[in-house]
Amino acid sequence: MRHKKDAPLRSDAQRNRERILEVAVAELTLCADAPLSVIAKKAGVGQGTFYRNFPNREALVLEIYRHEMQQVAEAACELLQAHEPERALREWMDHLARFAMTKAGLADAIRQATSAPGSPAKPEPTPVASAAELLLRTNEEAGTIRPGVTADDFILAIAGLWQLDPHGDWQSRAARLLDFVMDGLRAGAPGRR
C-alpha cells in the first residue's frame, strides 16, 4: 500500500518524531554541533527512523525552528485570553526574551544550518510577526499603545534581545530593554499624555 506524502503519521511514528524533536531541542541548545547519532540514541530511535523523519541536519534544525516559533506565537493568544491586552503584550515580550536566551545554542545551530552555500534559507519568523501584530492591534484598539506600530517596527525595537549574553545577567538587562520598549509604545497612546 502506498502512502500519500502528506498523509498523517501513524501514532507511533508521530511519537517518534516528537521525541526526536524534543531531544534535538535540548541537545542543540546545549551544543550546536551535537551529533545526530547522539540525538537519535537519546530519543530511543534507530538511525533509519531518524533519517526517515529528518534526512539531514538542516531539515531537523529548520523543523525545530518552525516548531519553536509556533510555540512562541501560540503563547500570544493564550496570554490575551488570560490578561488585559497591555499585560499580555508585556508578558509575551518576557516570553520572547526567555526563548531568545534559553535557546542561544539553537540559534547557533540555525545559523550553521542556513549559512553554508546551497543551504536552505532561514525561514521568516512569520508566526512570531503575526503574534506581535495580533498583540499590537489588540492594544491599539484598547487605547494602551500608540496607533500605527507595525510588527516590523516592534521586532526591530526588541532586536537588542539577541545581543544580550545568555550566560550573563540577561534577565535584568532584558527587563530594562522591554520596559523601555513598552514606554515607547505607550507614548502618544489615546488617553496618555
Side-chain angles (χ1 to χ4, degrees), residues 157-188:
I158 64 166
L161 286 175
W162 285 268
Q163 302 305 312
L164 299 177
D165 178 3
H167 307 293
D169 180 28
W170 67 265
Q171 291 96 339
S172 64
R173 294 190 74 198
R176 281 194 309 274
L177 170 69
L178 297 177
D179 286 345
F180 180 72
V181 170
M182 278 302 294
D183 288 346
L185 289 170
R186 288 184 195 114

PDB file of all heavy atoms in Angstrom, residues 157-188:
ATOM      1  N   ALA A 157      12.504  47.050  17.285  1.00  0.00           N
ATOM      2  CA  ALA A 157      12.684  47.670  18.603  1.00  0.00           C
ATOM      3  C   ALA A 157      13.203  46.686  19.648  1.00  0.00           C
ATOM      4  O   ALA A 157      13.966  47.071  20.532  1.00  0.00           O
ATOM      5  CB  ALA A 157      11.364  48.295  19.075  1.00  0.00           C
ATOM      6  N   ILE A 158      12.807  45.416  19.546  1.00  0.00           N
ATOM      7  CA  ILE A 158      13.252  44.439  20.548  1.00  0.00           C
ATOM      8  C   ILE A 158      14.470  43.643  20.091  1.00  0.00           C
ATOM      9  O   ILE A 158      14.924  42.748  20.800  1.00  0.00           O
ATOM     10  CB  ILE A 158      12.113  43.475  20.946  1.00  0.00           C
ATOM     11  CG1 ILE A 158      11.676  42.618  19.765  1.00  0.00           C
ATOM     12  CG2 ILE A 158      10.948  44.229  21.572  1.00  0.00           C
ATOM     13  CD1 ILE A 158      10.822  41.439  20.149  1.00  0.00           C
ATOM     14  N   ALA A 159      15.003  43.968  18.921  1.00  0.00           N
ATOM     15  CA  ALA A 159      16.133  43.200  18.378  1.00  0.00           C
ATOM     16  C   ALA A 159      17.333  43.174  19.317  1.00  0.00           C
ATOM     17  O   ALA A 159      18.162  42.267  19.234  1.00  0.00           O
ATOM     18  CB  ALA A 159      16.542  43.761  17.017  1.00  0.00           C
ATOM     19  N   GLY A 160      17.431  44.119  20.224  1.00  0.00           N
ATOM     20  CA  GLY A 160      18.520  44.122  21.194  1.00  0.00           C
ATOM     21  C   GLY A 160      18.550  42.874  22.057  1.00  0.00           C
ATOM     22  O   GLY A 160      19.601  42.526  22.615  1.00  0.00           O
ATOM     23  N   LEU A 161      17.431  42.179  22.182  1.00  0.00           N
ATOM     24  CA  LEU A 161      17.404  40.933  22.956  1.00  0.00           C
ATOM     25  C   LEU A 161      18.458  39.956  22.456  1.00  0.00           C
ATOM     26  O   LEU A 161      19.100  39.266  23.240  1.00  0.00           O
ATOM     27  CB  LEU A 161      16.029  40.255  22.853  1.00  0.00           C
ATOM     28  CG  LEU A 161      14.881  40.864  23.632  1.00  0.00           C
ATOM     29  CD1 LEU A 161      13.584  40.142  23.302  1.00  0.00           C
ATOM     30  CD2 LEU A 161      15.167  40.818  25.117  1.00  0.00           C
ATOM     31  N   TRP A 162      18.627  39.900  21.142  1.00  0.00           N
ATOM     32  CA  TRP A 162      19.540  38.926  20.558  1.00  0.00           C
ATOM     33  C   TRP A 162      21.007  39.349  20.690  1.00  0.00           C
ATOM     34  O   TRP A 162      21.894  38.610  20.320  1.00  0.00           O
ATOM     35  CB  TRP A 162      19.147  38.637  19.112  1.00  0.00           C
ATOM     36  CG  TRP A 162      17.942  37.762  19.085  1.00  0.00           C
ATOM     37  CD1 TRP A 162      17.934  36.406  19.035  1.00  0.00           C
ATOM     38  CD2 TRP A 162      16.578  38.154  19.168  1.00  0.00           C
ATOM     39  NE1 TRP A 162      16.635  35.934  19.082  1.00  0.00           N
ATOM     40  CE2 TRP A 162      15.778  36.984  19.159  1.00  0.00           C
ATOM     41  CE3 TRP A 162      15.921  39.384  19.245  1.00  0.00           C
ATOM     42  CZ2 TRP A 162      14.393  37.005  19.216  1.00  0.00           C
ATOM     43  CZ3 TRP A 162      14.534  39.402  19.318  1.00  0.00           C
ATOM     44  CH2 TRP A 162      13.795  38.230  19.301  1.00  0.00           C
ATOM     45  N   GLN A 163      21.237  40.533  21.282  1.00  0.00           N
ATOM     46  CA  GLN A 163      22.603  40.983  21.540  1.00  0.00           C
ATOM     47  C   GLN A 163      23.029  40.689  22.974  1.00  0.00           C
ATOM     48  O   GLN A 163      24.197  40.860  23.322  1.00  0.00           O
ATOM     49  CB  GLN A 163      22.722  42.496  21.273  1.00  0.00           C
ATOM     50  CG  GLN A 163      22.344  42.893  19.862  1.00  0.00           C
ATOM     51  CD  GLN A 163      23.133  42.140  18.814  1.00  0.00           C
ATOM     52  OE1 GLN A 163      24.342  42.046  18.890  1.00  0.00           O
ATOM     53  NE2 GLN A 163      22.434  41.579  17.827  1.00  0.00           N
ATOM     54  N   LEU A 164      22.099  40.274  23.812  1.00  0.00           N
ATOM     55  CA  LEU A 164      22.415  40.006  25.216  1.00  0.00           C
ATOM     56  C   LEU A 164      23.182  38.692  25.357  1.00  0.00           C
ATOM     57  O   LEU A 164      22.977  37.756  24.591  1.00  0.00           O
ATOM     58  CB  LEU A 164      21.128  39.946  26.044  1.00  0.00           C
ATOM     59  CG  LEU A 164      20.283  41.221  26.072  1.00  0.00           C
ATOM     60  CD1 LEU A 164      19.007  40.990  26.867  1.00  0.00           C
ATOM     61  CD2 LEU A 164      21.066  42.387  26.652  1.00  0.00           C
ATOM     62  N   ASP A 165      24.037  38.643  26.368  1.00  0.00           N
ATOM     63  CA  ASP A 165      24.816  37.432  26.651  1.00  0.00           C
ATOM     64  C   ASP A 165      23.939  36.474  27.461  1.00  0.00           C
ATOM     65  O   ASP A 165      23.582  36.779  28.597  1.00  0.00           O
ATOM     66  CB  ASP A 165      26.069  37.806  27.444  1.00  0.00           C
ATOM     67  CG  ASP A 165      26.912  36.598  27.828  1.00  0.00           C
ATOM     68  OD1 ASP A 165      26.569  35.454  27.445  1.00  0.00           O
ATOM     69  OD2 ASP A 165      27.925  36.808  28.524  1.00  0.00           O
ATOM     70  N   PRO A 166      23.605  35.298  26.893  1.00  0.00           N
ATOM     71  CA  PRO A 166      22.734  34.370  27.621  1.00  0.00           C
ATOM     72  C   PRO A 166      23.388  33.793  28.873  1.00  0.00           C
ATOM     73  O   PRO A 166      22.712  33.218  29.712  1.00  0.00           O
ATOM     74  CB  PRO A 166      22.434  33.267  26.599  1.00  0.00           C
ATOM     75  CG  PRO A 166      23.519  33.366  25.595  1.00  0.00           C
ATOM     76  CD  PRO A 166      23.979  34.790  25.579  1.00  0.00           C
ATOM     77  N   HIS A 167      24.694  33.974  29.013  1.00  0.00           N
ATOM     78  CA  HIS A 167      25.407  33.464  30.189  1.00  0.00           C
ATOM     79  C   HIS A 167      25.631  34.550  31.226  1.00  0.00           C
ATOM     80  O   HIS A 167      26.177  34.283  32.295  1.00  0.00           O
ATOM     81  CB  HIS A 167      26.738  32.840  29.765  1.00  0.00           C
ATOM     82  CG  HIS A 167      26.571  31.807  28.695  1.00  0.00           C
ATOM     83  ND1 HIS A 167      25.923  30.609  28.911  1.00  0.00           N
ATOM     84  CD2 HIS A 167      26.931  31.810  27.389  1.00  0.00           C
ATOM     85  CE1 HIS A 167      25.903  29.914  27.788  1.00  0.00           C
ATOM     86  NE2 HIS A 167      26.508  30.627  26.847  1.00  0.00           N
ATOM     87  N   GLY A 168      25.244  35.791  30.914  1.00  0.00           N
ATOM     88  CA  GLY A 168      25.411  36.913  31.840  1.00  0.00           C
ATOM     89  C   GLY A 168      24.102  37.246  32.531  1.00  0.00           C
ATOM     90  O   GLY A 168      23.183  36.422  32.616  1.00  0.00           O
ATOM     91  N   ASP A 169      23.988  38.478  32.976  1.00  0.00           N
ATOM     92  CA  ASP A 169      22.794  38.959  33.680  1.00  0.00           C
ATOM     93  C   ASP A 169      21.746  39.411  32.663  1.00  0.00           C
ATOM     94  O   ASP A 169      21.365  40.569  32.615  1.00  0.00           O
ATOM     95  CB  ASP A 169      23.182  40.111  34.613  1.00  0.00           C
ATOM     96  CG  ASP A 169      21.994  40.673  35.374  1.00  0.00           C
ATOM     97  OD1 ASP A 169      21.029  39.918  35.608  1.00  0.00           O
ATOM     98  OD2 ASP A 169      22.025  41.870  35.707  1.00  0.00           O
ATOM     99  N   TRP A 170      21.290  38.476  31.843  1.00  0.00           N
ATOM    100  CA  TRP A 170      20.378  38.848  30.776  1.00  0.00           C
ATOM    101  C   TRP A 170      18.998  39.219  31.283  1.00  0.00           C
ATOM    102  O   TRP A 170      18.310  40.038  30.678  1.00  0.00           O
ATOM    103  CB  TRP A 170      20.297  37.765  29.704  1.00  0.00           C
ATOM    104  CG  TRP A 170      19.666  36.473  30.146  1.00  0.00           C
ATOM    105  CD1 TRP A 170      20.304  35.366  30.595  1.00  0.00           C
ATOM    106  CD2 TRP A 170      18.270  36.171  30.179  1.00  0.00           C
ATOM    107  NE1 TRP A 170      19.404  34.380  30.898  1.00  0.00           N
ATOM    108  CE2 TRP A 170      18.146  34.847  30.654  1.00  0.00           C
ATOM    109  CE3 TRP A 170      17.114  36.878  29.850  1.00  0.00           C
ATOM    110  CZ2 TRP A 170      16.902  34.227  30.816  1.00  0.00           C
ATOM    111  CZ3 TRP A 170      15.880  36.263  30.007  1.00  0.00           C
ATOM    112  CH2 TRP A 170      15.790  34.955  30.479  1.00  0.00           C
ATOM    113  N   GLN A 171      18.552  38.635  32.424  1.00  0.00           N
ATOM    114  CA  GLN A 171      17.190  38.896  32.896  1.00  0.00           C
ATOM    115  C   GLN A 171      16.963  40.377  33.186  1.00  0.00           C
ATOM    116  O   GLN A 171      15.979  40.952  32.718  1.00  0.00           O
ATOM    117  CB  GLN A 171      16.866  38.066  34.145  1.00  0.00           C
ATOM    118  CG  GLN A 171      16.735  36.594  33.891  1.00  0.00           C
ATOM    119  CD  GLN A 171      18.022  35.820  34.173  1.00  0.00           C
ATOM    120  OE1 GLN A 171      19.116  36.387  34.198  1.00  0.00           O
ATOM    121  NE2 GLN A 171      17.911  34.515  34.358  1.00  0.00           N
ATOM    122  N   SER A 172      17.858  40.995  33.965  1.00  0.00           N
ATOM    123  CA  SER A 172      17.642  42.402  34.311  1.00  0.00           C
ATOM    124  C   SER A 172      17.844  43.298  33.089  1.00  0.00           C
ATOM    125  O   SER A 172      17.122  44.288  32.920  1.00  0.00           O
ATOM    126  CB  SER A 172      18.548  42.829  35.459  1.00  0.00           C
ATOM    127  OG  SER A 172      19.906  42.755  35.085  1.00  0.00           O
ATOM    128  N   ARG A 173      18.797  42.949  32.239  1.00  0.00           N
ATOM    129  CA  ARG A 173      19.015  43.758  31.029  1.00  0.00           C
ATOM    130  C   ARG A 173      17.829  43.642  30.086  1.00  0.00           C
ATOM    131  O   ARG A 173      17.397  44.642  29.498  1.00  0.00           O
ATOM    132  CB  ARG A 173      20.307  43.340  30.348  1.00  0.00           C
ATOM    133  CG  ARG A 173      21.529  43.662  31.231  1.00  0.00           C
ATOM    134  CD  ARG A 173      22.819  43.481  30.524  1.00  0.00           C
ATOM    135  NE  ARG A 173      22.980  44.590  29.586  1.00  0.00           N
ATOM    136  CZ  ARG A 173      23.830  44.556  28.577  1.00  0.00           C
ATOM    137  NH1 ARG A 173      24.562  43.499  28.356  1.00  0.00           N
ATOM    138  NH2 ARG A 173      23.937  45.594  27.775  1.00  0.00           N
ATOM    139  N   ALA A 174      17.291  42.445  29.922  1.00  0.00           N
ATOM    140  CA  ALA A 174      16.128  42.260  29.048  1.00  0.00           C
ATOM    141  C   ALA A 174      14.922  43.005  29.622  1.00  0.00           C
ATOM    142  O   ALA A 174      14.183  43.645  28.876  1.00  0.00           O
ATOM    143  CB  ALA A 174      15.806  40.778  28.890  1.00  0.00           C
ATOM    144  N   ALA A 175      14.729  42.938  30.932  1.00  0.00           N
ATOM    145  CA  ALA A 175      13.600  43.634  31.562  1.00  0.00           C
ATOM    146  C   ALA A 175      13.697  45.141  31.316  1.00  0.00           C
ATOM    147  O   ALA A 175      12.693  45.783  30.979  1.00  0.00           O
ATOM    148  CB  ALA A 175      13.550  43.330  33.051  1.00  0.00           C
ATOM    149  N   ARG A 176      14.897  45.710  31.469  1.00  0.00           N
ATOM    150  CA  ARG A 176      15.068  47.149  31.220  1.00  0.00           C
ATOM    151  C   ARG A 176      14.770  47.493  29.766  1.00  0.00           C
ATOM    152  O   ARG A 176      14.066  48.465  29.475  1.00  0.00           O
ATOM    153  CB  ARG A 176      16.490  47.596  31.588  1.00  0.00           C
ATOM    154  CG  ARG A 176      16.693  47.784  33.069  1.00  0.00           C
ATOM    155  CD  ARG A 176      17.973  48.545  33.408  1.00  0.00           C
ATOM    156  NE  ARG A 176      19.180  48.034  32.776  1.00  0.00           N
ATOM    157  CZ  ARG A 176      19.946  47.054  33.243  1.00  0.00           C
ATOM    158  NH1 ARG A 176      19.616  46.469  34.378  1.00  0.00           N
ATOM    159  NH2 ARG A 176      21.026  46.674  32.600  1.00  0.00           N
ATOM    160  N   LEU A 177      15.292  46.684  28.841  1.00  0.00           N
ATOM    161  CA  LEU A 177      15.055  46.928  27.418  1.00  0.00           C
ATOM    162  C   LEU A 177      13.563  46.855  27.101  1.00  0.00           C
ATOM    163  O   LEU A 177      13.015  47.735  26.437  1.00  0.00           O
ATOM    164  CB  LEU A 177      15.819  45.909  26.568  1.00  0.00           C
ATOM    165  CG  LEU A 177      15.474  45.913  25.073  1.00  0.00           C
ATOM    166  CD1 LEU A 177      15.978  47.181  24.398  1.00  0.00           C
ATOM    167  CD2 LEU A 177      16.031  44.686  24.389  1.00  0.00           C
ATOM    168  N   LEU A 178      12.895  45.822  27.592  1.00  0.00           N
ATOM    169  CA  LEU A 178      11.480  45.636  27.271  1.00  0.00           C
ATOM    170  C   LEU A 178      10.606  46.686  27.950  1.00  0.00           C
ATOM    171  O   LEU A 178       9.601  47.114  27.375  1.00  0.00           O
ATOM    172  CB  LEU A 178      11.053  44.215  27.612  1.00  0.00           C
ATOM    173  CG  LEU A 178      11.792  43.134  26.797  1.00  0.00           C
ATOM    174  CD1 LEU A 178      11.369  41.746  27.244  1.00  0.00           C
ATOM    175  CD2 LEU A 178      11.612  43.317  25.302  1.00  0.00           C
ATOM    176  N   ASP A 179      10.983  47.125  29.152  1.00  0.00           N
ATOM    177  CA  ASP A 179      10.255  48.235  29.791  1.00  0.00           C
ATOM    178  C   ASP A 179      10.397  49.505  28.960  1.00  0.00           C
ATOM    179  O   ASP A 179       9.439  50.260  28.772  1.00  0.00           O
ATOM    180  CB  ASP A 179      10.773  48.481  31.213  1.00  0.00           C
ATOM    181  CG  ASP A 179      10.316  47.424  32.203  1.00  0.00           C
ATOM    182  OD1 ASP A 179       9.371  46.658  31.891  1.00  0.00           O
ATOM    183  OD2 ASP A 179      10.914  47.355  33.299  1.00  0.00           O
ATOM    184  N   PHE A 180      11.595  49.733  28.450  1.00  0.00           N
ATOM    185  CA  PHE A 180      11.855  50.891  27.596  1.00  0.00           C
ATOM    186  C   PHE A 180      10.982  50.822  26.338  1.00  0.00           C
ATOM    187  O   PHE A 180      10.362  51.815  25.939  1.00  0.00           O
ATOM    188  CB  PHE A 180      13.346  50.923  27.242  1.00  0.00           C
ATOM    189  CG  PHE A 180      13.754  52.064  26.368  1.00  0.00           C
ATOM    190  CD1 PHE A 180      13.816  53.359  26.865  1.00  0.00           C
ATOM    191  CD2 PHE A 180      14.092  51.844  25.037  1.00  0.00           C
ATOM    192  CE1 PHE A 180      14.193  54.416  26.050  1.00  0.00           C
ATOM    193  CE2 PHE A 180      14.473  52.894  24.218  1.00  0.00           C
ATOM    194  CZ  PHE A 180      14.528  54.184  24.723  1.00  0.00           C
ATOM    195  N   VAL A 181      10.906  49.653  25.718  1.00  0.00           N
ATOM    196  CA  VAL A 181      10.077  49.475  24.520  1.00  0.00           C
ATOM    197  C   VAL A 181       8.603  49.710  24.866  1.00  0.00           C
ATOM    198  O   VAL A 181       7.892  50.399  24.128  1.00  0.00           O
ATOM    199  CB  VAL A 181      10.298  48.080  23.881  1.00  0.00           C
ATOM    200  CG1 VAL A 181       9.275  47.796  22.786  1.00  0.00           C
ATOM    201  CG2 VAL A 181      11.721  47.973  23.320  1.00  0.00           C
ATOM    202  N   MET A 182       8.152  49.156  25.999  1.00  0.00           N
ATOM    203  CA  MET A 182       6.745  49.373  26.406  1.00  0.00           C
ATOM    204  C   MET A 182       6.463  50.853  26.616  1.00  0.00           C
ATOM    205  O   MET A 182       5.415  51.351  26.197  1.00  0.00           O
ATOM    206  CB  MET A 182       6.418  48.591  27.680  1.00  0.00           C
ATOM    207  CG  MET A 182       6.086  47.132  27.462  1.00  0.00           C
ATOM    208  SD  MET A 182       4.687  46.778  26.363  1.00  0.00           S
ATOM    209  CE  MET A 182       3.301  47.431  27.288  1.00  0.00           C
ATOM    210  N   ASP A 183       7.394  51.565  27.261  1.00  0.00           N
ATOM    211  CA  ASP A 183       7.207  53.014  27.458  1.00  0.00           C
ATOM    212  C   ASP A 183       7.086  53.723  26.117  1.00  0.00           C
ATOM    213  O   ASP A 183       6.247  54.610  25.945  1.00  0.00           O
ATOM    214  CB  ASP A 183       8.362  53.606  28.266  1.00  0.00           C
ATOM    215  CG  ASP A 183       8.324  53.212  29.737  1.00  0.00           C
ATOM    216  OD1 ASP A 183       7.275  52.712  30.199  1.00  0.00           O
ATOM    217  OD2 ASP A 183       9.359  53.400  30.413  1.00  0.00           O
ATOM    218  N   GLY A 184       7.900  53.323  25.151  1.00  0.00           N
ATOM    219  CA  GLY A 184       7.829  53.913  23.820  1.00  0.00           C
ATOM    220  C   GLY A 184       6.516  53.585  23.115  1.00  0.00           C
ATOM    221  O   GLY A 184       5.958  54.439  22.419  1.00  0.00           O
ATOM    222  N   LEU A 185       6.017  52.385  23.297  1.00  0.00           N
ATOM    223  CA  LEU A 185       4.737  52.013  22.694  1.00  0.00           C
ATOM    224  C   LEU A 185       3.585  52.802  23.305  1.00  0.00           C
ATOM    225  O   LEU A 185       2.638  53.172  22.607  1.00  0.00           O
ATOM    226  CB  LEU A 185       4.487  50.510  22.873  1.00  0.00           C
ATOM    227  CG  LEU A 185       5.356  49.571  22.048  1.00  0.00           C
ATOM    228  CD1 LEU A 185       5.171  48.123  22.507  1.00  0.00           C
ATOM    229  CD2 LEU A 185       5.045  49.700  20.564  1.00  0.00           C
ATOM    230  N   ARG A 186       3.680  53.063  24.610  1.00  0.00           N
ATOM    231  CA  ARG A 186       2.605  53.799  25.308  1.00  0.00           C
ATOM    232  C   ARG A 186       2.599  55.280  24.942  1.00  0.00           C
ATOM    233  O   ARG A 186       1.538  55.903  24.947  1.00  0.00           O
ATOM    234  CB  ARG A 186       2.773  53.660  26.814  1.00  0.00           C
ATOM    235  CG  ARG A 186       2.449  52.310  27.357  1.00  0.00           C
ATOM    236  CD  ARG A 186       2.568  52.324  28.881  1.00  0.00           C
ATOM    237  NE  ARG A 186       2.603  50.989  29.401  1.00  0.00           N
ATOM    238  CZ  ARG A 186       3.667  50.439  30.008  1.00  0.00           C
ATOM    239  NH1 ARG A 186       4.776  51.132  30.173  1.00  0.00           N
ATOM    240  NH2 ARG A 186       3.606  49.210  30.452  1.00  0.00           N
ATOM    241  N   ALA A 187       3.766  55.854  24.667  1.00  0.00           N
ATOM    242  CA  ALA A 187       3.866  57.292  24.397  1.00  0.00           C
ATOM    243  C   ALA A 187       2.958  57.651  23.213  1.00  0.00           C
ATOM    244  O   ALA A 187       3.048  57.038  22.155  1.00  0.00           O
ATOM    245  CB  ALA A 187       5.310  57.671  24.102  1.00  0.00           C
ATOM    246  N   GLY A 188       2.095  58.599  23.421  1.00  0.00           N
ATOM    247  CA  GLY A 188       1.204  59.012  22.343  1.00  0.00           C
ATOM    248  C   GLY A 188      -0.050  58.173  22.226  1.00  0.00           C
ATOM    249  O   GLY A 188      -0.846  58.385  21.308  1.00  0.00           O
TER     250      GLY A 188
END
